[in-house]
Amino acid sequence: PYRMFMHLYELNVQLDALRRLKRALKPGGTMVIDLFNPDIPRIAKGKSEFLMDETNEYKVWLKEEFDAYRQIVVNEFKLEKLNKSGIIEYTAKRDFKARWFYPLEFAALIFYSGFFRTEVYADYFGKKFTGAEDKMIWVLQKEAL
């Protein structure tokens, strides 16, 4: 699942989820968790709003607010449907929030939940994670008996 773990905001819930997932795996089983790698300069700004995409029919906006203390970003996506004259016919909005994890923080969560971290990738094609990329694809393995 795409970044679903980022919707767990509290430490005890995160550890409980990882431990339950580990119990559900067979010995030697593997699990993948997809997270984004925090963009510190972007977070430091606190807020941003920008046009993500624009066509003759639509404009898609993203507004972000960062809570650096709790490590939570609140995103508001806004879609504007334009008529042939370029006037907005309607607007649809969707909000969601997500908690980001720093690489060493997530490594600690893995350790305390009893997983063995096998690899961290920067993309879905096997590129090794160096810390500079925007994705962290964690491959976790349960010990084999």
Side-chain angles (χ1 to χ4, degrees), residues 7 39 54 82 109 129:
H7 297 283
D39 181 340
E54 184 174 20
L82 309 174
L109 282 171
F129 180 75

Side-chain angles (χ1 to χ4, degrees), residues 10 12 20 76 110-111 113 140:
E10 304 297 328
N12 62 329
R20 288 172 185 259
E76 175 190 287
I110 292 167
F111 175 79
S113 64
L140 312 179

Side-chain angles (χ1 to χ4, degrees), residues 67-79:
D67 179 341
Y69 177 73
R70 291 185 181 92
Q71 295 174 221
I72 292 178
V73 58
V74 178
N75 293 297
E76 175 190 287
F77 285 98
K78 181 169 65 172
L79 171 77

Side-chain angles (χ1 to χ4, degrees), residues 111-129:
F111 175 79
Y112 286 111
S113 64
F115 273 106
F116 292 96
R117 178 175 61 116
T118 56
E119 294 291 336
V120 183
Y121 297 104
D123 63 21
Y124 305 113
F125 304 102
K127 178 182 173 191
K128 293 288 186 187
F129 180 75

Side-chain angles (χ1 to χ4, degrees), residues 35-53:
L35 305 171
F36 71 73
N37 187 22
D39 181 340
I40 304 302
R42 194 166 163 185
I43 292 167
K45 290 180 184 176
K47 293 182 181 183
S48 66
E49 184 171 350
F50 56 93
L51 182 63
M52 292 178 58
D53 191 24

Side-chain angles (χ1 to χ4, degrees), residues 1-2 4 9-10 13 26 30 52 55 64-65 67 72 76 88 95 97 102 114-115 118 127 133-134 136 143:
Y2 181 73
M4 294 304 295
Y9 309 112
E10 304 297 328
V13 175
K26 294 179 181 180
T30 301
M52 292 178 58
T55 67
E64 303 172 307
E65 291 190 29
D67 179 341
I72 292 178
E76 175 190 287
I88 298 171
D95 297 343
K97 67 180 184 176
Y102 294 102
F115 273 106
T118 56
K127 178 182 173 191
E133 300 83 6
D134 64 348
M136 296 187 289
E143 67 276 2

